[in-house]
Amino acid sequence: MNYFEKLLIANRGEIAIRVMRACRELDIETVAIYSDADKNALHVKYADEAFHVGEAHPSKSYLNMDRIIDIAKKSSAEAIHPGYGFLAENYRFAKLCLDEGVTFVGPNWKSIQAMGSKIGSKQMMCNAGVPVLPGTDGGIKDIDVAKKVAFEIGYPVIVKASAGGGGIGMQIVNDEKALEEAITAGMRIAQSAFGDATVFIEKYLQKPRHIEFQVLVDEHGHAVHLYDRECSIQRRHQKLVEEAPSPIMTPELRERMSASALKVAEVSHYTNAGSVEFLYYDGNYYFMEMNTRLQVEHTVTESITGVDLVKQQIAIAAGESLSFGQDDLSIRGHAIECRINAEDPLNNFAADPGKITRYRSPGGPGIRVDSGIHMGYTIPPNYDSMIAKLVAWDSTRFAAIKRMQRAISEYIILGIKTILPLHYAIMNNPQFIEGNTHTHFLQEEQLTKTLERYQLDEEARMQTLAGSFEQGKKIAAISAAVNVYLRGKKQ
Ligand code: ADP
């Protein structure tokens, strides 16, 4: 029996295709939605059916809840998978699905709502005995109280938006003089980005690691964790490289952190797949937030556990019990993911959408590429710059790094700039190879030199490629001429 006959994917690009792949394996028909900018996108071609959802701007298409529900009904899709971004962590959308009789493939809306508030969720976890960083008890209402708290916990502190995401509005404050201005600016940014001006402060850790745990919880009270991921390599608080397991994990630390992660899921009455994010520093860890959705980096967990997280999400949403328990799970090898963004790493990461004039993705043992791009495809400027995820798996961390280096050197994307050269530099960096990473790794390691060197290699590589391309054209022209000659002889 199928979990569902038909499922709508309320997303685009590589994640829409990722979800559709799981559906195809499960014999579930898929419905794509697309904006004006995505008429020729691969996710539209991959789906069994596709419906136009609106104009290019996300608010007129991928965020248009009513229109998406209409399409689900029109196409008789019984379930909606939101992917990540867009509506994935919008509790109103999850509730709307419930009210309209369409299954939302994700957590129940109440958990999404509870975890949508960084302040509320931190408070909840503190009450449950999960370690959190010291800071203001709730939203800042009085600057003098904020100053007092900051003084007590000690500078630097970080100002964060309670409803925040994507690192937006976060500011590091080094002394009291800068606090008031940071709070005012934080509130302004939070209001315009999230429609909620509430900000709070907490202790800022100088060079922590970002370590998170994947959890799966079914609707019958069974919960498991699928180990840890290290996501410390970030730019502007946004992850660029993720790996599983964390290079510093010990059985004892894993025991403690996974127990906390499962506690977080339990006290928030969580269901479906989620990630519990912690900051780790000097032997201690602190709950930061829970992401109530599939994450970009779910791939590395899939690689080391062999569990297809999207299939699990769908099965749980259909009311199935988890078919395995904690003791059935184990870690096999090591996996690394590089997020491939259409950005120029040598020009302050400026977005570089445009036409892909040549494309060849890597393959071979242990390599996975999730992407929505191909040769001749024009990346629209309207959406996130992440265009592909490159994942390498091997039996040890070092072997996975070598494999990733090899895969990057095989990856050819011409016509646009990507951060592939930066990934190459990271994969060759001695500190990274040693596993010595933290959230300030990129600023500290000054990868520009390696980057420039790789850029030269890259040019040579591309030239050879372009050369063989030219040669290919010549060969085609010669064989065409030969054909014409032969045809002439026959007559
Ligand atoms: P968002 O939800 O906006 O992505 P998070 O709370 O998940 O924000 O934090 C994202 C990143 O910001 C973390 O991985 C870390 O690098 C940095 N960060 C957040 N809080 C702190 C803190 N208290 N100390 C140091 N770094 C922090």
Side-chain angles (χ1 to χ4, degrees), residues 118 160 165-167 170 202-205 210 234 237 289:
K118 286 192 204 280
K160 282 189 184 182
M170 291 199 305
E202 69 184 15
K203 176 78 190 154
Y204 181 71
L205 298 175
H210 175 123
Q234 306 178 348
H237 308 298
E289 65 167 351

Side-chain angles (χ1 to χ4, degrees), residues 118 133 158 160 164-168 170 202-206 208 210 231-232 234 237-239 277 279 288-289 291 439-440:
K118 286 192 204 280
L133 281 166
I158 184 166
K160 282 189 184 182
I168 298 166
M170 291 199 305
E202 69 184 15
K203 176 78 190 154
Y204 181 71
L205 298 175
Q206 296 282 8
H210 175 123
C231 314
S232 298
Q234 306 178 348
H237 308 298
Q238 291 275 60
K239 300 160 188 166
E277 299 191 327
L279 287 179
M288 202 166 35
E289 65 167 351
N291 279 326
T439 58
H440 286 242

